[in-house]
Amino acid sequence: MKNNIFNIYTRAQRLIKLLGVLLIFIVALSPTSVFAHGVDANTERFLLGNQGVAIGAFLYIGAKHMVTGYDHLLFLVGVIFFLFRTREVLIYVSLFTLGHSLTLFFGVLNHLAVNPFLIDAIIGLSIVYKGFDNLGGFRRILGFQPNTKIMVMIFGLFHGFGLATKLQKFNLPQMDLWKNLLAFNVGVELGQFIALLFILIGLNFWRRSQSFYVFSTATNTLLMTGGLILFGYQMTGYILNG
Amino acid sequence: MANFMNDTNLPTPSVKSLVFASGLAILLATILLITAVLPAEYGIDPTGLGKKLGLTQLSSAGEDIVDPVITSCKEQLGQWTDSTTIVVPVHSGLEYKFDLLKEAKLEYAWKTDGAKIYFDLHGEPHGDNTGFFKSFKLGSENQFNGSITTEFAGPHGWYFENKTQAPVTIILNTKGTYQVLGLM
């Protein structure tokens, strides 16, 4: 029984790695103009005036938001920093995905107007939370470890609202809105997958060295720093423009 | 297979080390915000360091681009007879014309919101049915200014064609003695 479970996990790992490599090849071999800055700006301009269903454009924009969404990525780095097993990474990332997909859909379909500065400030705080959590801060201060899975899901909900506000900046025709929305969501997951691949490759290389453990405190302190900078930046934006 | 974080056997850090790490994070974040991020993003520079580092220009750069257009437009309106805004929808063309007498002068300056647009400045004689027209200037630009002198009386003006994926907005300033025919 134990052997069977082991086989399934190793097979799943291999499949995921294969998919990842394939995806990287597809991305790398695509005409470079696809990812050139100019096309990106053109896609955005197109979507600002778009009147119908535009699966490809929303897919691309969704992927781009995740790959360049350093606030989402920093949070994910914090989440997977001490996750050494692929199974755990899959579980936590899935919970994050579930959380942000729920609020992305809910927010856009219900035309929720969440203040973008406030939600991005909260996302900044989620990064601070995770850094502090990784340091064992809550175990010391609160005396117990807040369930990490539940917290990833909850913060995922906030990240999803952030994604919703970004998507709502584009012209979203009401007809077949769910199609564009789904394309965006799939794009987000694709982008997340690609970004995580690179992050995990880097992390795993680093984990081979003792320096990973020696510098884990410094790294999570830097994570908190990054989150605080984002928080300050977004709150200033809220005070000025919100 | 317990998750690393939920494992109760993990050493709990001391309050002192937590305070140190958190305090360092707050300090670093504050420094970076005040000296780099806020100057670059909002032009807020309480220490003046942002300016020295050449970061404040990143935020005021946006303003610099906008202001000259607005002020020069306002100044220029003093010399212009008319100013109009034309929006050319995606993948379409339109004409904007003025009715002028023979040997009349039309001075103009137009600029788009940034995108290049195909234009043909031309004129047709009054009552002409042969389809004859005289083209003064044509090309693909995002701004143009100059003047024309008509060789015959009739509608003179621009054919604009938007070949891009987004609507193009054009501000057209004109000076002369004419009747505005407008969009045709």
Side-chain angles (χ1 to χ4, degrees):
Chain A
M1 182 69 174
K2 211 176 173 187
N3 271 338
N4 273 345
I5 295 174
F6 179 73
N7 280 340
I8 292 170
Y9 282 133
T10 41
R11 263 191 242 147
Q13 275 183 50
R14 283 204 201 114
L15 183 63
I16 289 165
K17 280 178 194 164
L18 179 64
L19 279 171
V21 170
L22 270 172
L23 201 56
I24 290 178
F25 262 119
I26 292 170
V27 165
L29 291 175
S30 302
T32 46
S33 62
V34 173
F35 294 98
H37 203 64
V39 174
D40 175 40
N42 281 339
T43 312
E44 297 204 1
R45 240 189 297 157
F46 168 73
L47 286 176
L48 283 167
N50 171 54
Q51 298 297 325
V53 176
I55 303 287
F58 281 107
L59 196 85
Y60 175 71
I61 284 292
K64 182 207 154 208
H65 271 303
M66 242 341 190
V67 170
T68 60
Y70 49 84
D71 52 350
H72 302 296
L73 295 181
L74 275 178
F75 179 70
L76 279 173
V77 167
V79 168
I80 66 176
F81 194 80
F82 284 129
L83 296 180
F84 297 100
R85 295 162 187 263
T86 314
R87 178 173 174 264
E88 288 170 341
V89 172
L90 281 175
I91 291 175
Y92 280 80
V93 170
S94 300
L95 285 168
F96 181 66
T97 301
L98 180 62
H100 78 228
S101 299
L102 280 173
T103 43
L104 169 59
F105 258 85
F106 184 78
V108 173
L109 288 176
N110 289 307
H111 311 292
L112 286 178
V114 179
N115 186 299
F117 294 108
L118 281 181
I119 195 71
D120 282 346
I122 293 174
I123 291 175
L125 284 182
S126 73
I127 300 169
V128 180
Y129 174 94
K130 202 55 214 170
F132 188 72
D133 193 25
N134 282 348
L135 289 176
F138 295 112
R139 283 198 312 272
R140 169 56 68 191
I141 304 295
L142 298 177
F144 74 96
Q145 170 65 57
N147 189 298
T148 46
K149 291 196 178 103
I150 293 176
M151 290 316 292
V152 160
M153 172 81 177
I154 290 175
F155 280 123
L157 294 172
F158 285 105
H159 281 245
F161 276 124
L163 291 171
T165 54
K166 301 292 186 314
L167 180 56
Q168 285 166 326
K169 288 214 174 110
F170 296 112
N171 190 30
L172 296 175
Q174 288 318 296
M175 266 258 295
D176 291 333
L177 172 63
W178 67 271
K179 285 186 187 170
N180 285 336
L181 182 51
L182 186 59
F184 183 79
N185 201 351
V186 172
V188 164
E189 308 321 326
L190 276 174
Q192 179 176 275
F193 183 74
I194 293 172
L196 267 175
L197 222 54
F198 284 104
I199 291 171
L200 272 170
I201 290 171
L203 259 182
N204 281 326
F205 265 117
W206 191 19
R207 281 167 178 170
R208 292 169 157 205
S209 157
Q210 258 309 101
S211 66
F212 176 77
Y213 305 92
V214 168
F215 287 109
S216 66
T217 305
T219 313
N220 282 298
T221 305
L222 278 178
L223 211 58
M224 284 203 290
T225 309
L228 284 169
I229 292 176
L230 274 170
F231 177 74
Y233 166 51
Q234 297 295 344
M235 283 312 288
T236 310
Y238 175 69
I239 292 166
L240 289 178
N241 306 322
Chain B
M1 287 221 295
N3 169 254
F4 186 84
M5 299 290 302
N6 289 331
D7 184 350
T8 46
N9 289 333
L10 273 177
T12 317
S14 66
V15 174
K16 188 173 158 206
S17 67
L18 280 171
V19 167
F20 180 72
S22 307
L24 185 61
I26 293 171
L27 184 67
L28 262 175
T30 311
I31 291 173
L32 283 170
L33 269 169
I34 293 179
T35 59
V37 179
L38 292 184
E41 300 292 338
Y42 302 116
I44 298 172
D45 193 16
T47 61
L49 256 176
K51 198 172 177 190
K52 280 218 187 92
L53 292 167
L55 292 170
T56 47
Q57 61 193 352
L58 285 173
S59 67
S60 56
E63 291 156 15
D64 283 344
I65 290 170
V66 172
D67 278 355
V69 172
I70 293 173
T71 51
S72 67
C73 260
K74 283 183 186 154
E75 288 160 3
Q76 283 182 4
L77 209 48
Q79 75 183 91
W80 300 110
T81 318
D82 287 282
S83 181
T84 183
T85 305
I86 305 165
V87 178
V88 189
V90 180
H91 293 313
S92 42
L94 49 76
E95 293 207 322
Y96 194 94
K97 292 246 179 80
F98 302 83
D99 204 12
L100 287 116
L101 297 171
K102 183 173 167 176
E103 281 155 32
K105 190 174 177 194
L106 174 69
E107 286 170 72
Y108 65 89
W110 59 265
K111 96 194 285 161
T112 70
D113 50 8
K116 284 196 177 175
I117 193 151
Y118 173 80
F119 70 93
D120 183 345
L121 173 57
H122 64 283
E124 291 138 30
H126 256 152
D128 176 82
N129 289 321
T130 64
F132 168 81
F133 67 94
K134 173 170 172 68
S135 189
F136 292 90
K137 262 255 172 327
L138 56 81
S140 209
E141 300 289 339
N142 59 10
Q143 67 170 30
F144 215 93
N145 51 1
S147 76
I148 59 165
T149 304
T150 62
E151 291 173 14
F152 43 74
H156 287 73
W158 288 264
Y159 170 70
F160 288 113
E161 187 176 320
N162 178 4
K163 297 177 180 173
T164 70
Q165 301 272 54
V168 177
T169 308
I170 307 170
I171 297 175
L172 170 66
N173 294 320
T174 48
K175 178 180 174 187
T177 309
Y178 50 70
Q179 271 241 303
V180 179
L181 296 167
L183 281 175
M184 307 181 66

